[in-house]
Amino acid sequence: MNVTLKIRRFNPERDREPWWGTYTVEAESTDRLLDALNHVKWYQDGTLTFRRSCAHGVCGSDAMLINGSNALACKVLLKDLGQHVTVEPLRGFRVIKDLLVDLEPFFAKYRQVKPYLITASAPPANERLQSPAERERYDDTTKCILCGACTTACPSFWANPAYIGPAAIVNAHRFIFDSRDEGAEERLSILNTADGVWRCRTIFNCVEACPRGINVTRAIGEVKQALLYRKL
Amino acid sequence: MVRFFFTPSERKQAGRRKLERLFRLRLAGNLPLRQREMGKPTEYVTYRGKAGQWSWLLHRLTGIGVLLFLLVHIADITLIGWGPQVFDRLLFLYRQPVFRLGEVVLVAAVLYHALNGIRLCIIDFWPAATAIHKKLTCAVAVIFTVFFVPTALYMLNWLMK
């Protein structure tokens, strides 16, 4: 099948305004969008810039706005997109070039929620043990690959870039509800600010966008509950 | 170094950015694209979200609509302070076809905002309900239709005559 790709191009060193580049690619219907983008870059226009690494939906590098909604280019099949595909960079971040955005503010918010084990007690002689039920409690939020699809799909984030965003809350949830972790209070107080969890309007765009199928809105809801009732 | 003198275009740009911050708009042209501050208003409709996004947008719009009506309503109720005659004289306004159609829209807005608000409360208080949020949205649509259609028909009865 022939696929027409309409790609939002912008080179801040050369262009004053972003523009649309149109490319026609011969591809199999079972090819992924990333294959088509690679074809453009390798055989048609080498200046096209996008980020990709593992190309198998694990590293979270190639999240972009595909036909109007966020997804990983390496997980979307061309047959599900039709013959005309529009590709744009993620919203809400500075465009470095073409489909490449500066995710530094995104990772700054990730670091803000202290995404590492915090303990005050002395370490035990062996491992810190956990029952399967305790592990199950936060299983959903361990799946996050930090691709940024949820945060940049969130209308609250578009309106207010200071909002900490669904991805950071998901990663806070992963530690807040971990029975081995003792830093819940710190993280909850970070999330209890004006730009914390309360900016969530339960719009579910994050849930639709998440390539890992995480129920993000539920995780945010559980953090809200933990703050409301002050219990985990 | 602190600058005290600015060119007219710089002053204009600064003024626009002030307005942008105040009203959460984008007026200053190309600048926000490089140093992104706020989303374009069109982003709320050009992103292809699903039921959740549209029900949120409608919730906002109906909320603003009802608020504007309430402001008008406070103004017309205030007239009773000048006596019943003054108040009655204004009521002819609400009998105009435009206002009678507007009343139907108002009922729709209040009904939708209330039902969708209940849905949001359910999701906020029972996060497990996120698993069935699409069914809840459908329920809002069904209950809305059941209540709104007969009400609208009753309210628009005068049109048929």
Side-chain angles (χ1 to χ4, degrees), chain A residues 16 68 70 91 94 158-159 161 203 205 215 225, chain B residues 30 34 37 39 44 46-48 52-53 120 124 130:
Chain A
R16 285 198 62 211
N70 282 354
R91 286 177 173 177
R94 184 178 64 93
W158 300 334
I203 300 170
N205 271 11
N215 190 342
Q225 294 271 302
Chain B
N30 213 8
R34 296 189 180 194
E37 282 176 359
Y44 302 108
T46 54
Y47 187 88
R48 283 204 198 154
Q53 183 181 333
L120 295 177
D124 266 340
T130 49

mmCIF file with all atom_site columns, all heavy atoms in Angstrom, chain A residues 16 68 70 91 94 158-159 161 203 205 215 225, chain B residues 30 34 37 39 44 46-48 52-53 120 124 130:
data_model
loop_
_atom_site.group_PDB
_atom_site.id
_atom_site.type_symbol
_atom_site.label_atom_id
_atom_site.label_alt_id
_atom_site.label_comp_id
_atom_site.label_asym_id
_atom_site.label_entity_id
_atom_site.label_seq_id
_atom_site.pdbx_PDB_ins_code
_atom_site.Cartn_x
_atom_site.Cartn_y
_atom_site.Cartn_z
_atom_site.occupancy
_atom_site.B_iso_or_equiv
_atom_site.pdbx_formal_charge
_atom_site.auth_seq_id
_atom_site.auth_comp_id
_atom_site.auth_asym_id
_atom_site.auth_atom_id
_atom_site.pdbx_PDB_model_num
ATOM 1   N N   . ARG A 1 16  ? 11.162  30.144 10.116 1.00 0.00 ? 16  ARG A N   1
ATOM 2   C CA  . ARG A 1 16  ? 10.503  31.060 11.047 1.00 0.00 ? 16  ARG A CA  1
ATOM 3   C C   . ARG A 1 16  ? 9.242   30.426 11.605 1.00 0.00 ? 16  ARG A C   1
ATOM 4   O O   . ARG A 1 16  ? 8.850   30.666 12.733 1.00 0.00 ? 16  ARG A O   1
ATOM 5   C CB  . ARG A 1 16  ? 10.166  32.382 10.336 1.00 0.00 ? 16  ARG A CB  1
ATOM 6   C CG  . ARG A 1 16  ? 11.408  33.251 10.130 1.00 0.00 ? 16  ARG A CG  1
ATOM 7   C CD  . ARG A 1 16  ? 11.029  34.682 9.842  1.00 0.00 ? 16  ARG A CD  1
ATOM 8   N NE  . ARG A 1 16  ? 10.304  35.285 10.937 1.00 0.00 ? 16  ARG A NE  1
ATOM 9   C CZ  . ARG A 1 16  ? 9.387   36.223 10.785 1.00 0.00 ? 16  ARG A CZ  1
ATOM 10  N NH1 . ARG A 1 16  ? 9.103   36.656 9.592  1.00 0.00 ? 16  ARG A NH1 1
ATOM 11  N NH2 . ARG A 1 16  ? 8.782   36.736 11.831 1.00 0.00 ? 16  ARG A NH2 1
ATOM 12  N N   . GLY A 1 68  ? -3.582  12.956 15.199 1.00 0.00 ? 68  GLY A N   1
ATOM 13  C CA  . GLY A 1 68  ? -4.324  13.711 16.206 1.00 0.00 ? 68  GLY A CA  1
ATOM 14  C C   . GLY A 1 68  ? -4.297  13.165 17.610 1.00 0.00 ? 68  GLY A C   1
ATOM 15  O O   . GLY A 1 68  ? -4.799  13.809 18.517 1.00 0.00 ? 68  GLY A O   1
ATOM 16  N N   . ASN A 1 70  ? -1.844  10.891 20.731 1.00 0.00 ? 70  ASN A N   1
ATOM 17  C CA  . ASN A 1 70  ? -0.495  10.450 21.075 1.00 0.00 ? 70  ASN A CA  1
ATOM 18  C C   . ASN A 1 70  ? -0.365  8.934  21.013 1.00 0.00 ? 70  ASN A C   1
ATOM 19  O O   . ASN A 1 70  ? -1.253  8.213  21.462 1.00 0.00 ? 70  ASN A O   1
ATOM 20  C CB  . ASN A 1 70  ? -0.150  10.906 22.493 1.00 0.00 ? 70  ASN A CB  1
ATOM 21  C CG  . ASN A 1 70  ? 0.233   12.355 22.542 1.00 0.00 ? 70  ASN A CG  1
ATOM 22  O OD1 . ASN A 1 70  ? 0.352   13.002 21.509 1.00 0.00 ? 70  ASN A OD1 1
ATOM 23  N ND2 . ASN A 1 70  ? 0.437   12.872 23.738 1.00 0.00 ? 70  ASN A ND2 1
ATOM 24  N N   . ARG A 1 91  ? 2.898   17.706 22.124 1.00 0.00 ? 91  ARG A N   1
ATOM 25  C CA  . ARG A 1 91  ? 2.515   19.078 22.482 1.00 0.00 ? 91  ARG A CA  1
ATOM 26  C C   . ARG A 1 91  ? 3.087   19.499 23.829 1.00 0.00 ? 91  ARG A C   1
ATOM 27  O O   . ARG A 1 91  ? 3.366   18.668 24.666 1.00 0.00 ? 91  ARG A O   1
ATOM 28  C CB  . ARG A 1 91  ? 0.993   19.161 22.553 1.00 0.00 ? 91  ARG A CB  1
ATOM 29  C CG  . ARG A 1 91  ? 0.392   19.151 21.184 1.00 0.00 ? 91  ARG A CG  1
ATOM 30  C CD  . ARG A 1 91  ? -1.093  19.160 21.294 1.00 0.00 ? 91  ARG A CD  1
ATOM 31  N NE  . ARG A 1 91  ? -1.661  19.330 19.963 1.00 0.00 ? 91  ARG A NE  1
ATOM 32  C CZ  . ARG A 1 91  ? -2.944  19.314 19.708 1.00 0.00 ? 91  ARG A CZ  1
ATOM 33  N NH1 . ARG A 1 91  ? -3.805  19.123 20.674 1.00 0.00 ? 91  ARG A NH1 1
ATOM 34  N NH2 . ARG A 1 91  ? -3.385  19.481 18.498 1.00 0.00 ? 91  ARG A NH2 1
ATOM 35  N N   . ARG A 1 94  ? 9.094   22.417 24.000 1.00 0.00 ? 94  ARG A N   1
ATOM 36  C CA  . ARG A 1 94  ? 9.806   23.149 22.982 1.00 0.00 ? 94  ARG A CA  1
ATOM 37  C C   . ARG A 1 94  ? 10.279  22.187 21.899 1.00 0.00 ? 94  ARG A C   1
ATOM 38  O O   . ARG A 1 94  ? 10.837  21.132 22.197 1.00 0.00 ? 94  ARG A O   1
ATOM 39  C CB  . ARG A 1 94  ? 11.021  23.839 23.616 1.00 0.00 ? 94  ARG A CB  1
ATOM 40  C CG  . ARG A 1 94  ? 11.822  24.731 22.706 1.00 0.00 ? 94  ARG A CG  1
ATOM 41  C CD  . ARG A 1 94  ? 12.947  25.377 23.509 1.00 0.00 ? 94  ARG A CD  1
ATOM 42  N NE  . ARG A 1 94  ? 13.883  24.375 24.013 1.00 0.00 ? 94  ARG A NE  1
ATOM 43  C CZ  . ARG A 1 94  ? 14.984  24.010 23.359 1.00 0.00 ? 94  ARG A CZ  1
ATOM 44  N NH1 . ARG A 1 94  ? 15.286  24.542 22.209 1.00 0.00 ? 94  ARG A NH1 1
ATOM 45  N NH2 . ARG A 1 94  ? 15.797  23.101 23.884 1.00 0.00 ? 94  ARG A NH2 1
ATOM 46  N N   . TRP A 1 158 ? -1.713  21.185 28.958 1.00 0.00 ? 158 TRP A N   1
ATOM 47  C CA  . TRP A 1 158 ? -1.616  22.183 27.887 1.00 0.00 ? 158 TRP A CA  1
ATOM 48  C C   . TRP A 1 158 ? -1.896  23.569 28.449 1.00 0.00 ? 158 TRP A C   1
ATOM 49  O O   . TRP A 1 158 ? -1.245  24.538 28.081 1.00 0.00 ? 158 TRP A O   1
ATOM 50  C CB  . TRP A 1 158 ? -2.632  21.918 26.776 1.00 0.00 ? 158 TRP A CB  1
ATOM 51  C CG  . TRP A 1 158 ? -2.494  20.598 26.102 1.00 0.00 ? 158 TRP A CG  1
ATOM 52  C CD1 . TRP A 1 158 ? -1.369  19.843 25.992 1.00 0.00 ? 158 TRP A CD1 1
ATOM 53  C CD2 . TRP A 1 158 ? -3.542  19.869 25.443 1.00 0.00 ? 158 TRP A CD2 1
ATOM 54  N NE1 . TRP A 1 158 ? -1.653  18.696 25.302 1.00 0.00 ? 158 TRP A NE1 1
ATOM 55  C CE2 . TRP A 1 158 ? -2.957  18.682 24.953 1.00 0.00 ? 158 TRP A CE2 1
ATOM 56  C CE3 . TRP A 1 158 ? -4.896  20.111 25.220 1.00 0.00 ? 158 TRP A CE3 1
ATOM 57  C CZ2 . TRP A 1 158 ? -3.701  17.735 24.256 1.00 0.00 ? 158 TRP A CZ2 1
ATOM 58  C CZ3 . TRP A 1 158 ? -5.627  19.167 24.524 1.00 0.00 ? 158 TRP A CZ3 1
ATOM 59  C CH2 . TRP A 1 158 ? -5.033  17.992 24.045 1.00 0.00 ? 158 TRP A CH2 1
ATOM 60  N N   . ALA A 1 159 ? -2.907  23.641 29.330 1.00 0.00 ? 159 ALA A N   1
ATOM 61  C CA  . ALA A 1 159 ? -3.306  24.941 29.860 1.00 0.00 ? 159 ALA A CA  1
ATOM 62  C C   . ALA A 1 159 ? -2.293  25.452 30.863 1.00 0.00 ? 159 ALA A C   1
ATOM 63  O O   . ALA A 1 159 ? -2.116  26.655 31.010 1.00 0.00 ? 159 ALA A O   1
ATOM 64  C CB  . ALA A 1 159 ? -4.678  24.833 30.514 1.00 0.00 ? 159 ALA A CB  1
ATOM 65  N N   . PRO A 1 161 ? 1.566   24.495 31.946 1.00 0.00 ? 161 PRO A N   1
ATOM 66  C CA  . PRO A 1 161 ? 2.774   23.668 31.866 1.00 0.00 ? 161 PRO A CA  1
ATOM 67  C C   . PRO A 1 161 ? 3.439   23.443 33.221 1.00 0.00 ? 161 PRO A C   1
ATOM 68  O O   . PRO A 1 161 ? 4.319   22.596 33.328 1.00 0.00 ? 161 PRO A O   1
ATOM 69  C CB  . PRO A 1 161 ? 3.698   24.474 30.937 1.00 0.00 ? 161 PRO A CB  1
ATOM 70  C CG  . PRO A 1 161 ? 2.798   25.385 30.197 1.00 0.00 ? 161 PRO A CG  1
ATOM 71  C CD  . PRO A 1 161 ? 1.684   25.720 31.130 1.00 0.00 ? 161 PRO A CD  1
ATOM 72  N N   . ILE A 1 203 ? -10.026 13.468 32.740 1.00 0.00 ? 203 ILE A N   1
ATOM 73  C CA  . ILE A 1 203 ? -10.414 13.584 31.335 1.00 0.00 ? 203 ILE A CA  1
ATOM 74  C C   . ILE A 1 203 ? -10.130 12.277 30.579 1.00 0.00 ? 203 ILE A C   1
ATOM 75  O O   . ILE A 1 203 ? -10.679 12.041 29.504 1.00 0.00 ? 203 ILE A O   1
ATOM 76  C CB  . ILE A 1 203 ? -9.686  14.796 30.690 1.00 0.00 ? 203 ILE A CB  1
ATOM 77  C CG1 . ILE A 1 203 ? -10.074 16.070 31.438 1.00 0.00 ? 203 ILE A CG1 1
ATOM 78  C CG2 . ILE A 1 203 ? -10.021 14.942 29.223 1.00 0.00 ? 203 ILE A CG2 1
ATOM 79  C CD1 . ILE A 1 203 ? -9.247  17.282 31.074 1.00 0.00 ? 203 ILE A CD1 1
ATOM 80  N N   . ASN A 1 205 ? -7.667  11.313 28.841 1.00 0.00 ? 205 ASN A N   1
ATOM 81  C CA  . ASN A 1 205 ? -6.805  11.341 27.657 1.00 0.00 ? 205 ASN A CA  1
ATOM 82  C C   . ASN A 1 205 ? -5.513  10.564 27.917 1.00 0.00 ? 205 ASN A C   1
ATOM 83  O O   . ASN A 1 205 ? -4.974  9.930  27.007 1.00 0.00 ? 205 ASN A O   1
ATOM 84  C CB  . ASN A 1 205 ? -6.458  12.785 27.277 1.00 0.00 ? 205 ASN A CB  1
ATOM 85  C CG  . ASN A 1 205 ? -7.469  13.373 26.326 1.00 0.00 ? 205 ASN A CG  1
ATOM 86  O OD1 . ASN A 1 205 ? -8.524  12.791 26.099 1.00 0.00 ? 205 ASN A OD1 1
ATOM 87  N ND2 . ASN A 1 205 ? -7.162  14.521 25.767 1.00 0.00 ? 205 ASN A ND2 1
ATOM 88  N N   . ASN A 1 215 ? -3.752  2.305  33.765 1.00 0.00 ? 215 ASN A N   1
ATOM 89  C CA  . ASN A 1 215 ? -4.938  3.089  34.109 1.00 0.00 ? 215 ASN A CA  1
ATOM 90  C C   . ASN A 1 215 ? -4.471  4.297  34.923 1.00 0.00 ? 215 ASN A C   1
ATOM 91  O O   . ASN A 1 215 ? -4.510  4.301  36.154 1.00 0.00 ? 215 ASN A O   1
ATOM 92  C CB  . ASN A 1 215 ? -5.923  2.234  34.900 1.00 0.00 ? 215 ASN A CB  1
ATOM 93  C CG  . ASN A 1 215 ? -7.269  2.920  35.075 1.00 0.00 ? 215 ASN A CG  1
ATOM 94  O OD1 . ASN A 1 215 ? -7.383  4.132  34.901 1.00 0.00 ? 215 ASN A OD1 1
ATOM 95  N ND2 . ASN A 1 215 ? -8.277  2.161  35.423 1.00 0.00 ? 215 ASN A ND2 1
ATOM 96  N N   . GLN A 1 225 ? -7.098  10.128 46.882 1.00 0.00 ? 225 GLN A N   1
ATOM 97  C CA  . GLN A 1 225 ? -7.725  9.493  48.039 1.00 0.00 ? 225 GLN A CA  1
ATOM 98  C C   . GLN A 1 225 ? -6.752  9.449  49.221 1.00 0.00 ? 225 GLN A C   1
ATOM 99  O O   . GLN A 1 225 ? -7.129  9.737  50.354 1.00 0.00 ? 225 GLN A O   1
ATOM 100 C CB  . GLN A 1 225 ? -8.107  8.054  47.688 1.00 0.00 ? 225 GLN A CB  1
ATOM 101 C CG  . GLN A 1 225 ? -9.180  7.956  46.634 1.00 0.00 ? 225 GLN A CG  1
ATOM 102 C CD  . GLN A 1 225 ? -10.551 7.957  47.227 1.00 0.00 ? 225 GLN A CD  1
ATOM 103 O OE1 . GLN A 1 225 ? -10.880 7.112  48.037 1.00 0.00 ? 225 GLN A OE1 1
ATOM 104 N NE2 . GLN A 1 225 ? -11.345 8.912  46.853 1.00 0.00 ? 225 GLN A NE2 1
ATOM 105 N N   . ASN B 2 30  ? 5.267   34.123 17.331 1.00 0.00 ? 30  ASN B N   1
ATOM 106 C CA  . ASN B 2 30  ? 6.184   32.995 17.251 1.00 0.00 ? 30  ASN B CA  1
ATOM 107 C C   . ASN B 2 30  ? 6.868   32.675 18.570 1.00 0.00 ? 30  ASN B C   1
ATOM 108 O O   . ASN B 2 30  ? 7.320   31.566 18.769 1.00 0.00 ? 30  ASN B O   1
ATOM 109 C CB  . ASN B 2 30  ? 7.238   33.283 16.192 1.00 0.00 ? 30  ASN B CB  1
ATOM 110 C CG  . ASN B 2 30  ? 7.671   32.011 15.510 1.00 0.00 ? 30  ASN B CG  1
ATOM 111 O OD1 . ASN B 2 30  ? 7.065   30.973 15.737 1.00 0.00 ? 30  ASN B OD1 1
ATOM 112 N ND2 . ASN B 2 30  ? 8.687   32.089 14.709 1.00 0.00 ? 30  ASN B ND2 1
ATOM 113 N N   . ARG B 2 34  ? 8.803   28.786 20.715 1.00 0.00 ? 34  ARG B N   1
ATOM 114 C CA  . ARG B 2 34  ? 10.170  28.441 21.098 1.00 0.00 ? 34  ARG B CA  1
ATOM 115 C C   . ARG B 2 34  ? 10.265  28.218 22.592 1.00 0.00 ? 34  ARG B C   1
ATOM 116 O O   . ARG B 2 34  ? 10.872  27.285 23.052 1.00 0.00 ? 34  ARG B O   1
ATOM 117 C CB  . ARG B 2 34  ? 11.107  29.565 20.683 1.00 0.00 ? 34  ARG B CB  1
ATOM 118 C CG  . ARG B 2 34  ? 11.105  29.693 19.185 1.00 0.00 ? 34  ARG B CG  1
ATOM 119 C CD  . ARG B 2 34  ? 12.164  30.642 18.741 1.00 0.00 ? 34  ARG B CD  1
ATOM 120 N NE  . ARG B 2 34  ? 12.121  30.724 17.284 1.00 0.00 ? 34  ARG B NE  1
ATOM 121 C CZ  . ARG B 2 34  ? 13.075  31.246 16.566 1.00 0.00 ? 34  ARG B CZ  1
ATOM 122 N NH1 . ARG B 2 34  ? 14.132  31.722 17.165 1.00 0.00 ? 34  ARG B NH1 1
ATOM 123 N NH2 . ARG B 2 34  ? 12.977  31.291 15.274 1.00 0.00 ? 34  ARG B NH2 1
ATOM 124 N N   . GLU B 2 37  ? 4.841   28.391 26.666 1.00 0.00 ? 37  GLU B N   1
ATOM 125 C CA  . GLU B 2 37  ? 4.262   28.720 27.962 1.00 0.00 ? 37  GLU B CA  1
ATOM 126 C C   . GLU B 2 37  ? 2.865   28.174 28.114 1.00 0.00 ? 37  GLU B C   1
ATOM 127 O O   . GLU B 2 37  ? 2.502   27.608 29.128 1.00 0.00 ? 37  GLU B O   1
ATOM 128 C CB  . GLU B 2 37  ? 4.225   30.235 28.169 1.00 0.00 ? 37  GLU B CB  1
ATOM 129 C CG  . GLU B 2 37  ? 5.589   30.756 28.543 1.00 0.00 ? 37  GLU B CG  1
ATOM 130 C CD  . GLU B 2 37  ? 5.617   32.247 28.657 1.00 0.00 ? 37  GLU B CD  1
ATOM 131 O OE1 . GLU B 2 37  ? 4.567   32.876 28.428 1.00 0.00 ? 37  GLU B OE1 1
ATOM 132 O OE2 . GLU B 2 37  ? 6.681   32.774 28.964 1.00 0.00 ? 37  GLU B OE2 1
ATOM 133 N N   . GLY B 2 39  ? -0.836  26.504 26.030 1.00 0.00 ? 39  GLY B N   1
ATOM 134 C CA  . GLY B 2 39  ? -1.391  25.866 24.845 1.00 0.00 ? 39  GLY B CA  1
ATOM 135 C C   . GLY B 2 39  ? -2.269  26.807 24.052 1.00 0.00 ? 39  GLY B C   1
ATOM 136 O O   . GLY B 2 39  ? -2.824  27.756 24.580 1.00 0.00 ? 39  GLY B O   1
ATOM 137 N N   . TYR B 2 44  ? -7.590  22.167 22.300 1.00 0.00 ? 44  TYR B N   1
ATOM 138 C CA  . TYR B 2 44  ? -8.613  21.413 23.025 1.00 0.00 ? 44  TYR B CA  1
ATOM 139 C C   . TYR B 2 44  ? -9.569  20.699 22.085 1.00 0.00 ? 44  TYR B C   1
ATOM 140 O O   . TYR B 2 44  ? -10.250 19.770 22.478 1.00 0.00 ? 44  TYR B O   1
ATOM 141 C CB  . TYR B 2 44  ? -9.383  22.323 23.981 1.00 0.00 ? 44  TYR B CB  1
ATOM 142 C CG  . TYR B 2 44  ? -8.454  22.989 24.968 1.00 0.00 ? 44  TYR B CG  1
ATOM 143 C CD1 . TYR B 2 44  ? -8.159  24.336 24.876 1.00 0.00 ? 44  TYR B CD1 1
ATOM 144 C CD2 . TYR B 2 44  ? -7.839  22.237 25.956 1.00 0.00 ? 44  TYR B CD2 1
ATOM 145 C CE1 . TYR B 2 44  ? -7.271  24.932 25.749 1.00 0.00 ? 44  TYR B CE1 1
ATOM 146 C CE2 . TYR B 2 44  ? -6.956  22.817 26.837 1.00 0.00 ? 44  TYR B CE2 1
ATOM 147 C CZ  . TYR B 2 44  ? -6.674  24.165 26.734 1.00 0.00 ? 44  TYR B CZ  1
ATOM 148 O OH  . TYR B 2 44  ? -5.792  24.737 27.590 1.00 0.00 ? 44  TYR B OH  1
ATOM 149 N N   . THR B 2 46  ? -8.534  20.061 18.571 1.00 0.00 ? 46  THR B N   1
ATOM 150 C CA  . THR B 2 46  ? -7.841  19.353 17.490 1.00 0.00 ? 46  THR B CA  1
ATOM 151 C C   . THR B 2 46  ? -7.232  18.047 17.968 1.00 0.00 ? 46  THR B C   1
ATOM 152 O O   . THR B 2 46  ? -6.934  17.180 17.153 1.00 0.00 ? 46  THR B O   1
ATOM 153 C CB  . THR B 2 46  ? -6.730  20.221 16.868 1.00 0.00 ? 46  THR B CB  1
ATOM 154 O OG1 . THR B 2 46  ? -5.865  20.657 17.910 1.00 0.00 ? 46  THR B OG1 1
ATOM 155 C CG2 . THR B 2 46  ? -7.300  21.416 16.137 1.00 0.00 ? 46  THR B CG2 1
ATOM 156 N N   . TYR B 2 47  ? -7.031  17.885 19.270 1.00 0.00 ? 47  TYR B N   1
ATOM 157 C CA  . TYR B 2 47  ? -6.547  16.602 19.758 1.00 0.00 ? 47  TYR B CA  1
ATOM 158 C C   . TYR B 2 47  ? -7.695  15.608 19.687 1.00 0.00 ? 47  TYR B C   1
ATOM 159 O O   . TYR B 2 47  ? -8.814  15.917 20.095 1.00 0.00 ? 47  TYR B O   1
ATOM 160 C CB  . TYR B 2 47  ? -6.032  16.712 21.194 1.00 0.00 ? 47  TYR B CB  1
ATOM 161 C CG  . TYR B 2 47  ? -5.356  15.440 21.668 1.00 0.00 ? 47  TYR B CG  1
ATOM 162 C CD1 . TYR B 2 47  ? -4.010  15.233 21.455 1.00 0.00 ? 47  TYR B CD1 1
ATOM 163 C CD2 . TYR B 2 47  ? -6.079  14.431 22.291 1.00 0.00 ? 47  TYR B CD2 1
ATOM 164 C CE1 . TYR B 2 47  ? -3.394  14.060 21.852 1.00 0.00 ? 47  TYR B CE1 1
ATOM 165 C CE2 . TYR B 2 47  ? -5.470  13.256 22.688 1.00 0.00 ? 47  TYR B CE2 1
ATOM 166 C CZ  . TYR B 2 47  ? -4.116  13.074 22.464 1.00 0.00 ? 47  TYR B CZ  1
ATOM 167 O OH  . TYR B 2 47  ? -3.525  11.902 22.856 1.00 0.00 ? 47  TYR B OH  1
ATOM 168 N N   . ARG B 2 48  ? -7.405  14.419 19.136 1.00 0.00 ? 48  ARG B N   1
ATOM 169 C CA  . ARG B 2 48  ? -8.477  13.425 19.017 1.00 0.00 ? 48  ARG B CA  1
ATOM 170 C C   . ARG B 2 48  ? -8.562  12.572 20.272 1.00 0.00 ? 48  ARG B C   1
ATOM 171 O O   . ARG B 2 48  ? -8.106  11.432 20.310 1.00 0.00 ? 48  ARG B O   1
ATOM 172 C CB  . ARG B 2 48  ? -8.223  12.536 17.808 1.00 0.00 ? 48  ARG B CB  1
ATOM 173 C CG  . ARG B 2 48  ? -8.570  13.250 16.529 1.00 0.00 ? 48  ARG B CG  1
ATOM 174 C CD  . ARG B 2 48  ? -8.888  12.304 15.414 1.00 0.00 ? 48  ARG B CD  1
ATOM 175 N NE  . ARG B 2 48  ? -8.786  13.045 14.165 1.00 0.00 ? 48  ARG B NE  1
ATOM 176 C CZ  . ARG B 2 48  ? -8.518  12.506 12.997 1.00 0.00 ? 48  ARG B CZ  1
ATOM 177 N NH1 . ARG B 2 48  ? -8.353  11.199 12.919 1.00 0.00 ? 48  ARG B NH1 1
ATOM 178 N NH2 . ARG B 2 48  ? -8.435  13.240 11.927 1.00 0.00 ? 48  ARG B NH2 1
ATOM 179 N N   . GLY B 2 52  ? -13.993 10.979 27.125 1.00 0.00 ? 52  GLY B N   1
ATOM 180 C CA  . GLY B 2 52  ? -13.590 11.757 28.289 1.00 0.00 ? 52  GLY B CA  1
ATOM 181 C C   . GLY B 2 52  ? -13.292 13.203 27.955 1.00 0.00 ? 52  GLY B C   1
ATOM 182 O O   . GLY B 2 52  ? -13.707 14.121 28.667 1.00 0.00 ? 52  GLY B O   1
ATOM 183 N N   . GLN B 2 53  ? -12.570 13.410 26.852 1.00 0.00 ? 53  GLN B N   1
ATOM 184 C CA  . GLN B 2 53  ? -12.197 14.781 26.473 1.00 0.00 ? 53  GLN B CA  1
ATOM 185 C C   . GLN B 2 53  ? -13.421 15.597 26.096 1.00 0.00 ? 53  GLN B C   1
ATOM 186 O O   . GLN B 2 53  ? -13.570 16.748 26.513 1.00 0.00 ? 53  GLN B O   1
ATOM 187 C CB  . GLN B 2 53  ? -11.219 14.746 25.306 1.00 0.00 ? 53  GLN B CB  1
ATOM 188 C CG  . GLN B 2 53  ? -10.744 16.137 24.917 1.00 0.00 ? 53  GLN B CG  1
ATOM 189 C CD  . GLN B 2 53  ? -9.793  16.117 23.734 1.00 0.00 ? 53  GLN B CD  1
ATOM 190 O OE1 . GLN B 2 53  ? -9.097  15.141 23.487 1.00 0.00 ? 53  GLN B OE1 1
ATOM 191 N NE2 . GLN B 2 53  ? -9.766  17.201 22.998 1.00 0.00 ? 53  GLN B NE2 1
ATOM 192 N N   . LEU B 2 120 ? -18.360 12.560 37.632 1.00 0.00 ? 120 LEU B N   1
ATOM 193 C CA  . LEU B 2 120 ? -17.016 12.921 38.086 1.00 0.00 ? 120 LEU B CA  1
ATOM 194 C C   . LEU B 2 120 ? -16.842 12.625 39.575 1.00 0.00 ? 120 LEU B C   1
ATOM 195 O O   . LEU B 2 120 ? -15.790 12.152 39.998 1.00 0.00 ? 120 LEU B O   1
ATOM 196 C CB  . LEU B 2 120 ? -16.744 14.404 37.806 1.00 0.00 ? 120 LEU B CB  1
ATOM 197 C CG  . LEU B 2 120 ? -16.693 14.788 36.331 1.00 0.00 ? 120 LEU B CG  1
ATOM 198 C CD1 . LEU B 2 120 ? -16.487 16.277 36.174 1.00 0.00 ? 120 LEU B CD1 1
ATOM 199 C CD2 . LEU B 2 120 ? -15.591 14.033 35.614 1.00 0.00 ? 120 LEU B CD2 1
ATOM 200 N N   . ASP B 2 124 ? -14.098 10.308 41.258 1.00 0.00 ? 124 ASP B N   1
ATOM 201 C CA  . ASP B 2 124 ? -13.180 10.875 42.241 1.00 0.00 ? 124 ASP B CA  1
ATOM 202 C C   . ASP B 2 124 ? -13.221 10.117 43.565 1.00 0.00 ? 124 ASP B C   1
ATOM 203 O O   . ASP B 2 124 ? -12.200 9.943  44.215 1.00 0.00 ? 124 ASP B O   1
ATOM 204 C CB  . ASP B 2 124 ? -13.508 12.358 42.484 1.00 0.00 ? 124 ASP B CB  1
ATOM 205 C CG  . ASP B 2 124 ? -12.665 13.260 41.589 1.00 0.00 ? 124 ASP B CG  1
ATOM 206 O OD1 . ASP B 2 124 ? -11.625 12.783 41.105 1.00 0.00 ? 124 ASP B OD1 1
ATOM 207 O OD2 . ASP B 2 124 ? -13.050 14.419 41.363 1.00 0.00 ? 124 ASP B OD2 1
ATOM 208 N N   . THR B 2 130 ? -12.929 3.986  37.477 1.00 0.00 ? 130 THR B N   1
ATOM 209 C CA  . THR B 2 130 ? -12.289 4.370  36.210 1.00 0.00 ? 130 THR B CA  1
ATOM 210 C C   . THR B 2 130 ? -12.357 3.234  35.195 1.00 0.00 ? 130 THR B C   1
ATOM 211 O O   . THR B 2 130 ? -12.324 3.465  33.997 1.00 0.00 ? 130 THR B O   1
ATOM 212 C CB  . THR B 2 130 ? -10.802 4.729  36.426 1.00 0.00 ? 130 THR B CB  1
ATOM 213 O OG1 . THR B 2 130 ? -10.204 3.691  37.199 1.00 0.00 ? 130 THR B OG1 1
ATOM 214 C CG2 . THR B 2 130 ? -10.649 6.043  37.139 1.00 0.00 ? 130 THR B CG2 1
#
